Amino acid sequence: MSRDLARNLVLTGFMGSGKTEVGRAVAEHLGRRFVDMDEVLARRLGMSVPDIFRRLGEPFFRAEESRLARELADERELVIATGGGTLVDRGNREALGATGLLVRLTASPEALWERVSGTRGRPMLEAGDRRGRMEELLQQREPAYREIPHQVDTTGLAVEQVVARVVDIAANAEHTGERALGVHYPGGFYPVFVTRGGLKAAGLYLRSRGLVGRVAVIGDDTVVDLWGETLVRGLAERGLDATVLRFPAGERSKTLATVESLVTDMVEAGLGRDCIVIALGGGVVGDTAGLVAALYMRGVPLVQVPTTLLAAFDSSVGGKVAVDLPAGKNLVGAFKQPDLVLVDAECMETLPNEERRAGLAEAVKHGVIADPELFRRLETGQYDLLEVIERSIRVKVGVVEEDPYEQGRRAVLNLGHTFGHAYEKLSDFRLRHGEAVAIGMVLAARLARHRGLTAPDLEERLVACLQTTGLPVKPPPYVPDAVLGAMQADKKRRAGRLRFVLPLALGDVRVYDDVTEEELRAVLPAGDS
C-alpha cells in the first residue's frame, strides 16, 4: 500500500466543472503542489491557450498537452487540473492514471452553461451558437469522461463541499491501496476497483458512479453473516439505504425458484426501477443476483462485490449471469454487465486456506495465458495478494474486452477446463473447481509437450508453481475410459469436437479441436478405478 502514498491526484472534466478552483483548494488542504496544465502550456509557449489554438492549431496544442501529461506522470504528490479535453485522449488517461488517482468533476449542462456563458477565452466555443456548441462538445466527450473511475457531481454544491468529496475519495484510495481498472464492452464501460478494505466505503464507490438509489444487497447466508453488516454500514455512511436479502448457501440454491423468491422480496420491500442490486458473495451469488438484476423491472443497475478469489478473477468480470435447471448448469441466463465491480482483498484474506488456494489456480492460469510476470511471482511464493488480484483481473479484462460475447478469443480462459471439468464431475464435485483446473493445466501442458508444441520445462515449471501455491498436480485415480466419457459431456464442445487450450509458452496459449483419443490416452494416467 505504500506505493500509493505519493500518487498524484488528477482532476478533469468539462469546462466550467471547477477543476482549477477545486484543485487549488484540494492541493492546499493536502499540502501538495498544484499544477494547472493549461497554465503550464501557456507559460511554456508564451501565449494564452486561445492564442495557441488560433495561431498554432488544435493538433499542435494536443501534442504539447500529451507531452506534458507524460512528464507529469513521472512526478509524484501533485494535484493536477487537466484541460477539458486532455483525458479524452486514451493515451493521456492511461499515462496519468498509471501514477495518479483520476477524478472527474461533472455538472448538469444547465449548470455548466451558467458557469461558462459569461466568460471568454474558451477556444472550443469561439464560433457560432456557443450554447449549442457546448452541448455538442459535451456529448462528444461524455464516453471518454465516463471512463474516469471516480466522478463528483458538482451541481448545486459549494466549492468547499466539492473539495470535501474529492478529499474523501483521495483519503480512501490511499487507505485501501485502491487500484482502478476499466472494462469496455459494446456500448458501455464499467470500472473495477481493487482494494484492501473498500467494503467499508462501499457508498463512496456507488456515489462516484452516480448510483444513489435504494440498494438491495443480495448474498447467501454465510456471506451475509460475515460481511453484510460491514457493507450496509459502508453504504449508510454515504447516505445510501440498503435492504438485505439472503438465500441458503450452495449451488443447490442457484435456481429460478431462488430468483423468483428474491424478486418477490424486492417487490415487497418497495424497491422500484431506480434501485441497485449488489451481489455480495462468490460465483453462485454473482450469477443469481446478476440474473435478478437483469430481470427485475426489465433491468436495474448491478454492482458485483466478489468475496472469493475465484469470483474476483472470473465471474465478477465479463457480464455472464445464469442459474441452473435440473437438466444442467447455467442453462437460463443472460449477459448483464455490472455498473461497478468492487473487490476487497480483506474478504479473500479471511477465506479458509483450501478455498484461497483453489482461487489462486485462476491466477496461475491467467499468468500462463497472458502475464508471465504474474506467473513468476506466484512461482516464487513471494507476492502481495492485492497485486495478484489486480494483475489477474487485468488478464481477464483484456480477454473479455476482445471477445465480449464468447465468439473466439475468450476460449483461452478455458485453459485446464476440459480435463478439469471431467475430473470435477467424476469426483461428484468433491474436487474443488480450482483444484480441478490446476490438474487440468498440468495435463494440458503435458499434451502440448506430447505434440511437440512446447519445451519440457514448461510443464515442470507449472507443476512447481502449483505445488508452491498448495494445489494438486496429480489427477485422481480414474481410468482413462471414465475420464474420456466425462469429457464427452463437456458443454464447451463445438460441432461435436472437444476443444483444448494448450500452452506453447508463458503468455502464449492456443485452442485446438483436433486432439485424438489416442493422444489423450497417452497423457492420461492409467488409474485404478
Side-chain angles (χ1 to χ4, degrees):
M1 196 152 53
S2 61
R3 63 179 181 163
D4 296 322
L5 299 180
R7 278 201 292 174
N8 296 328
L9 175 58
V10 183
L11 299 181
T12 195
F14 198 70
M15 63 185 81
S17 59
K19 302 180 295 293
T20 299
E21 187 176 9
V22 171
R24 289 189 194 281
V26 169
E28 183 177 356
H29 181 92
L30 298 177
R32 292 188 173 195
R33 181 163 70 92
F34 175 66
V35 176
D36 184 301
M37 290 183 65
D38 280 353
E39 289 182 359
V40 172
L41 290 170
R43 193 164 54 248
R44 281 186 178 181
L45 298 171
M47 64 186 83
S48 69
V49 171
D51 283 342
I52 297 171
F53 270 72
R54 278 192 294 268
R55 295 166 59 181
L56 301 174
E58 184 179 356
F60 176 85
F61 177 83
R62 297 302 178 197
E64 291 299 305
E65 188 177 55
S66 293
R67 187 160 66 90
L68 177 58
R70 282 153 181 76
E71 289 176 16
L72 293 174
D74 288 334
E75 299 193 44
R76 296 294 183 273
E77 295 189 279
L78 302 176
V79 175
I80 302 168
T82 76
T86 307
L87 298 194
V88 173
D89 180 272
R90 187 168 185 173
N92 292 344
R93 288 199 304 275
E94 291 175 350
L96 287 170
T99 57
L101 176 69
L102 305 185
V103 180
R104 175 207 179 181
L105 304 184
T106 185
S108 68
E110 293 75 19
L112 292 172
W113 177 244
E114 183 178 342
R115 296 172 191 176
V116 305
S117 59
T119 65
R120 293 294 167 182
R122 306 276 185 183
M124 301 302 292
L125 302 182
E126 287 281 308
D129 174 12
R130 297 181 77 224
R131 175 68 184 264
R133 175 59 179 151
M134 187 204 80
E135 293 185 353
E136 179 186 8
L137 190 61
L138 181 60
Q139 186 176 18
Q140 289 172 358
R141 291 178 175 179
E142 185 61 27
Y145 282 152
R146 289 297 297 166
E147 295 189 17
I148 305 304
H150 288 287
Q151 313 255 329
V152 176
D153 188 348
T154 67
T155 307
L157 298 182
V159 171
E160 55 269 23
Q161 292 175 299
V162 179
V163 169
R165 293 192 181 185
V166 172
V167 169
D168 187 24
I169 290 169
N172 177 72
E174 179 180 308
H175 176 70
T176 63
E178 175 195 299
R179 279 292 179 268
L181 295 71
V183 182
H184 300 84
Y185 63 91
F189 168 90
Y190 59 90
V192 179
F193 294 101
V194 181
T195 72
R196 183 177 277 114
L199 203 62
K200 298 171 186 173
L204 178 150
Y205 290 102
L206 267 67
R207 284 194 171 278
S208 77
R209 301 306 298 177
L211 301 172
V212 293
R214 290 181 61 194
V215 178
V217 174
I218 298 179
D220 65 36
D221 290 332
T222 301
V223 174
V224 167
D225 286 344
L226 284 170
W227 297 109
E229 183 179 347
T230 301
L231 174 57
V232 170
R233 191 165 56 246
L235 294 167
E237 286 178 356
R238 266 74 176 192
L240 298 180
D241 177 52
T243 298
V244 178
L245 307 175
R246 59 168 76 203
F247 58 88
E251 184 81 22
R252 286 177 296 180
S253 293
K254 193 175 142 181
T255 64
L256 282 172
T258 300
V259 170
E260 182 180 3
S261 176
L262 291 168
V263 166
T264 301
D265 290 344
M266 290 173 68
V267 173
E268 291 177 351
L271 295 166
R273 295 190 67 179
D274 60 345
C275 76
I276 301 134
V277 168
I278 296 183
L280 175 68
V284 169
V285 173
D287 266 354
T288 306
L291 191 57
V292 169
L295 298 174
Y296 190 67
M297 297 193 176
R298 298 189 178 89
V300 298
L302 171 66
V303 175
Q304 290 279 7
V305 182
T307 59
T308 67
L309 284 172
L310 184 58
F313 297 157
D314 188 31
S315 58
S316 69
V317 175
K320 294 196 302 180
V321 296
V323 295
D324 305 336
L325 293 179
K329 292 183 63 173
N330 297 328
L331 292 180
V332 179
F335 280 97
K336 172 62 175 174
Q337 302 291 352
D339 290 69
L340 160 68
V341 178
L342 174 59
V343 181
D344 186 343
E346 285 187 356
C347 297
M348 315 337 176
E349 288 167 340
T350 61
L351 288 170
N353 285 335
E354 58 274 17
E355 292 293 339
R356 191 176 176 198
R357 287 195 297 266
L360 284 173
E362 291 291 320
V364 175
K365 182 189 79 174
H366 289 156
V368 175
I369 290 171
D371 190 346
E373 179 57 30
L374 171 60
F375 183 90
R376 282 190 283 271
R377 295 184 189 193
L378 292 165
E379 191 176 32
T380 65
Q382 302 297 315
Y383 56 82
D384 175 69
L385 184 60
L386 194 69
E387 190 166 13
V388 167
I389 293 171
E390 177 193 350
R391 296 186 76 107
S392 189
I393 291 176
R394 283 192 188 279
V395 172
K396 176 69 183 285
V397 168
V399 174
V400 166
E401 284 188 341
E402 189 175 337
D403 183 18
Y405 296 122
E406 293 192 288
Q407 300 301 308
R409 168 70 176 167
R410 199 153 169 168
V412 302
L413 294 172
N414 293 322
L415 173 64
H417 282 60
T418 306
F419 287 109
H421 282 161
Y423 284 106
E424 203 175 358
K425 181 179 180 180
L426 289 170
S427 75
D428 197 23
F429 298 96
R430 289 186 296 272
L431 193 66
R432 291 178 175 82
H433 178 71
E435 295 168 339
V437 168
I439 292 166
M441 283 192 287
V442 172
L443 291 173
R446 189 172 301 164
L447 178 57
R449 178 169 59 84
H450 181 79
R451 285 191 144 204
L453 299 173
T454 188
D457 70 323
L458 180 61
E459 181 186 347
E460 296 167 5
R461 288 185 66 185
L462 181 57
V463 167
C465 180
L466 292 168
Q467 288 177 327
T468 297
T469 310
L471 287 160
V473 294
K474 293 183 178 180
Y478 299 111
V479 295
D481 283 344
V483 178
L484 292 170
M487 282 184 183
Q488 293 307 313
D490 194 302
K491 68 176 182 177
K492 298 188 187 302
R493 288 192 304 164
R494 288 287 178 93
R497 292 184 173 187
L498 287 170
R499 294 190 301 167
F500 292 85
V501 183
L502 304 184
L504 279 60
L506 291 179
D508 183 9
V509 298
R510 311 278 177 88
V511 181
Y512 295 85
D513 64 359
D514 60 347
V515 177
T516 66
E517 180 178 323
E518 182 182 6
E519 288 177 295
L520 293 175
R521 289 185 181 277
V523 299
L524 290 171
D528 58 14
S529 64

